[in-house]
Amino acid sequence: MQNIYKIASIACMMAGIFGCTNLEEKPIGVLAPEGLFNSPADVNVAVLGSVGLLATEALYGRQFVSALMLRSDMADIGDRGTPAARQQMNDFNMDDNNGMITVFWPVWYQVISAANAAISGAESIQGSEVQLNPLIAEARFMRAFSYYHLVRNFGAVPYIDYFINNPESIKTISRTAEVEIFGKIIEDLEYAKQWLPDVRPNNIRTRATKGTAASYLSSVHLTLANYPKAYEEAKWVIDNRASFGYALLPDFQGLFNANTANGLQEHVFAIDFLGLQSGPGNANIDYMASMTGIRGATPSGWSVIVPSMMVFDTWDDRDYRKKVSFDSEILMGTTIRPFSAFVNTQRPHIAKYSRFPGRSQGEMQFSDHNYADFRYAEVLLIAAEALGEISGGNAEAVGYINQVRARARNEAGVMNTFPEDVQPGMGKEAFVNLVMEERRLELAFEFKRWYDIKRRNLGTQVFTGANSLEPHATFSEARDYLMPIPRQELETNPNLAPQNPGY
């Protein structure tokens, strides 16, 4: 992996000059891409800067992914002594000054800033298409990736797709409609699919490839309920999986072992943290193992993000994925204690990140994890869901979900009989509901469930219904499918008004 300190420093420099981190930058002189970029190597550094910013505490190290987890019905607050911003995020009662949002909003725009700088830099220098277009494609992927997360959480946001050489110019920018942002995301991903390589040297999964771009295209189209296009893109990835090096990892546990996390064949796009290292701008600072780990265990976590008992109790004990996903007993000192004896929150805890954090500090901070934002199992589930919407549970759609279930039956080399294969012939509604449940279990605690709740309009059902895993009477469809635009952004630039409804 590239030197974390160099990349983080350059990323922060670019973001500080070109970003709209709080739409309040001070002019530092007019800059132009031709003054900063002289070769493809310079462009590559800017691209690496945008990628490197993902592995920061503000995004995949804690703040952003914690927000996605807490927003779902699969992860609740454990220790109620945790800061109020997390409780408000979880309980659907936050305002527009929530401390989590004000941390991760600007960093997403820093990623975008570095990507835009790379694109403009590539366009300003001499070079062949073969040299420059793949770099532009990776930068466009990173821009699309960032906006895909922003638009799903905030709706209409400022869309910036140009090199900012005068910070004053963005102080009056307004928000862009969701439909236009999604159109831009699709354009960027299609360009990326055309020009990115099939694979990266040394099997690196933290830099995008053709398969990465197509997988995200399938997810975008699924989110927009364009099921034929979602199926088309997912099927293309499946048909070309050998070219991209994609396959299901034989043992589900192997996906969550930081000691062996590099270059996993199931990772379509991953965010790589380096154990015991950190850099400028909170680069490489990862607290997810600590946030989800058990307070008082050996080693101790913080018991902040802990599923409700209903999430654990309703998950079939025969499912090996449950054993991988939860710790219901833990070593405390020299004794194994059941969850009823945990010192802070007497519930089973998430084990995906705290069981094997690799090199880390005393309470599992600064872990060695590679967090999968997309893995091949999800490609199969997207193909199943999209085809199910088109044709119901036919043999092909069932086949995709059964590949996922077959892997789930492999418990460390011992084949179980659960979960059973799905049989063809189910009607559309029943089959799609089954796929959604499979996604909930297969991708549990992997930052996906909130997006599924939103795109399927399930909020009222899962938070206020009779079978709610995590009841929240405060949930409001009119307000809570979007987070608020940070207050400081609205105060600095009134053109971002109006605020999202209900805040």
Side-chain angles (χ1 to χ4, degrees):
M1 185 176 178
Q2 299 289 331
N3 184 283
I4 183 173
Y5 300 97
K6 178 180 178 182
I7 294 171
S9 297
I10 293 171
C12 292
M13 178 197 74
M14 292 241 175
I17 296 173
F18 309 116
C20 58
T21 59
N22 59 13
L23 300 181
E24 197 176 24
E25 291 84 347
K26 301 294 188 295
I28 60 172
V30 175
L31 298 163
E34 57 267 24
L36 296 169
F37 298 94
N38 299 297
S39 69
D42 295 332
V43 177
N44 188 53
V45 169
V47 172
L48 288 173
S50 68
V51 175
L53 279 163
L54 300 182
T56 58
E57 189 268 343
L59 296 182
Y60 282 80
R62 175 162 56 174
Q63 301 290 356
F64 179 66
V65 289
S66 290
L68 295 184
M69 292 176 74
L70 292 172
R71 212 73 175 156
S72 79
D73 62 341
M74 292 289 286
D76 195 7
I77 291 288
D79 182 357
R80 280 280 166 175
T82 199
R86 297 169 190 159
Q87 299 187 52
Q88 294 164 0
M89 181 69 69
N90 181 77
D91 298 344
F92 297 103
N93 59 9
M94 66 177 166
D95 59 22
D96 60 1
N97 200 35
N98 179 270
M100 299 182 76
I101 290 174
T102 58
V103 170
F104 63 72
W105 166 284
V107 182
W108 277 121
Y109 276 101
Q110 290 174 12
V111 179
I112 293 164
S113 299
N116 285 339
I119 294 166
S120 295
E123 293 171 347
S124 72
I125 64 175
Q126 297 295 316
S128 67
E129 284 188 343
V130 173
Q131 285 180 300
L132 296 177
N133 284 8
L135 292 170
I136 294 172
E138 188 172 5
R140 291 185 68 168
F141 170 82
M142 290 303 302
R143 183 170 67 190
F145 178 81
S146 302
Y147 276 115
Y148 191 30
H149 284 297
L150 282 168
V151 74
R152 286 194 285 180
N153 286 291
F154 297 98
V157 296
Y159 188 86
I160 302 172
D161 59 357
Y162 52 87
F163 185 99
I164 298 169
N165 58 16
N166 180 5
E168 289 292 315
S169 66
I170 59 170
K171 287 188 174 181
T172 57
I173 195 170
S174 58
R175 294 163 71 180
T176 305
E178 288 186 54
V179 64
E180 186 175 346
I181 295 173
F182 274 111
K184 295 288 189 181
I185 290 169
I186 291 170
E187 287 178 13
D188 278 349
L189 290 176
E190 287 177 342
Y191 184 92
K193 180 183 174 184
Q194 177 183 356
W195 284 103
L196 286 172
D198 286 355
V199 295
R200 293 285 183 178
N202 301 316
N203 200 26
I204 288 176
R205 301 298 172 117
T206 56
R207 300 188 68 178
T209 64
K210 288 184 186 295
T212 314
S215 297
Y216 279 94
L217 275 169
S218 73
S219 179
V220 172
H221 289 304
L222 192 75
T223 299
L224 297 174
N226 186 341
Y227 299 115
K229 286 294 293 183
Y231 168 71
E232 177 186 325
E233 294 292 348
K235 183 67 161 58
W236 186 81
V237 175
I238 293 166
D239 289 346
N240 293 281
R241 62 191 179 278
S243 298
F244 306 135
Y246 295 158
L248 296 177
L249 209 64
D251 187 341
F252 189 69
Q253 179 67 79
L255 289 164
F256 311 103
N257 186 339
N259 299 304
T260 56
N262 292 324
L264 296 183
Q265 59 189 349
E266 190 163 336
H267 282 180
V268 172
F269 189 61
I271 290 83
D272 185 1
F273 286 86
L274 303 178
L276 300 176
Q277 296 191 41
S278 63
N282 286 333
N284 203 58
I285 292 178
D286 172 37
Y287 292 135
M288 288 310 299
S290 309
M291 294 283 285
T292 57
I294 301 165
R295 191 177 293 278
T298 307
S300 178
W302 300 338
S303 292
V304 173
I305 302 175
V306 185
S308 71
M309 279 304 305
M310 282 289 288
V311 173
F312 181 80
D313 289 341
T314 56
W315 195 326
D316 197 303
D317 289 337
R318 296 172 294 173
D319 192 339
Y320 173 53
R321 293 172 298 186
K322 181 178 183 179
K323 298 177 184 178
V324 171
S325 300
F326 288 96
D327 273 325
S328 58
E329 59 181 19
I330 202 72
L331 181 67
M332 293 185 171
T334 59
T335 305
I336 299 292
R337 303 285 187 186
F339 69 83
S340 59
F342 289 176
V343 299
N344 181 276
T345 304
Q346 288 75 44
R347 303 197 298 263
H349 283 48
I350 297 167
K352 282 186 172 180
Y353 311 121
S354 61
R355 183 172 291 165
F356 298 113
R359 296 175 301 161
S360 59
Q361 291 186 356
E363 293 184 326
M364 297 182 289
Q365 310 99 311
F366 298 4
S367 86
D368 223 355
H369 273 299
N370 286 15
Y371 294 109
D373 192 79
F374 216 117
R375 51 187 179 89
Y376 183 64
E378 187 176 5
V379 177
L380 294 171
L381 293 173
I382 287 174
E385 182 182 347
L387 187 56
E389 286 282 359
I390 298 166
S391 306
N394 63 19
E396 182 185 350
V398 163
Y400 296 133
I401 200 168
N402 284 343
Q403 289 183 53
V404 176
R405 288 193 163 198
R407 191 267 298 280
R409 292 195 290 269
N410 176 20
E411 184 171 347
V414 177
M415 295 305 298
N416 298 322
T417 59
F418 186 89
E420 302 92 347
D421 278 352
V422 179
Q423 300 303 312
M426 295 179 68
K428 181 174 77 172
E429 182 177 359
F431 180 72
V432 170
N433 287 341
L434 183 146
V435 177
M436 294 304 298
E437 182 67 1
E438 198 69 23
R439 283 182 63 92
R440 187 179 71 83
L441 301 178
E442 173 70 22
L443 304 173
F445 318 127
E446 295 180 51
F447 328 130
K448 300 288 182 175
R449 177 62 175 171
W450 169 242
Y451 289 146
D452 285 349
I453 290 170
K454 179 180 176 180
R455 70 183 176 84
R456 283 290 179 178
N457 198 31
L458 298 174
T460 297
Q461 173 186 327
V462 302
F463 293 119
T464 67
N467 297 317
S468 297
L469 300 176
E470 185 186 328
H472 286 295
T474 54
F475 176 81
S476 166
E477 288 188 358
R479 179 192 63 213
D480 292 321
Y481 284 137
L482 294 178
M483 297 179 189
I485 303 298
R487 184 186 306 168
Q488 65 186 29
E489 306 293 337
L490 291 166
E491 290 174 348
T492 302
N493 179 10
N495 289 323
L496 298 180
Q499 177 61 277
N500 285 332
Y503 295 103

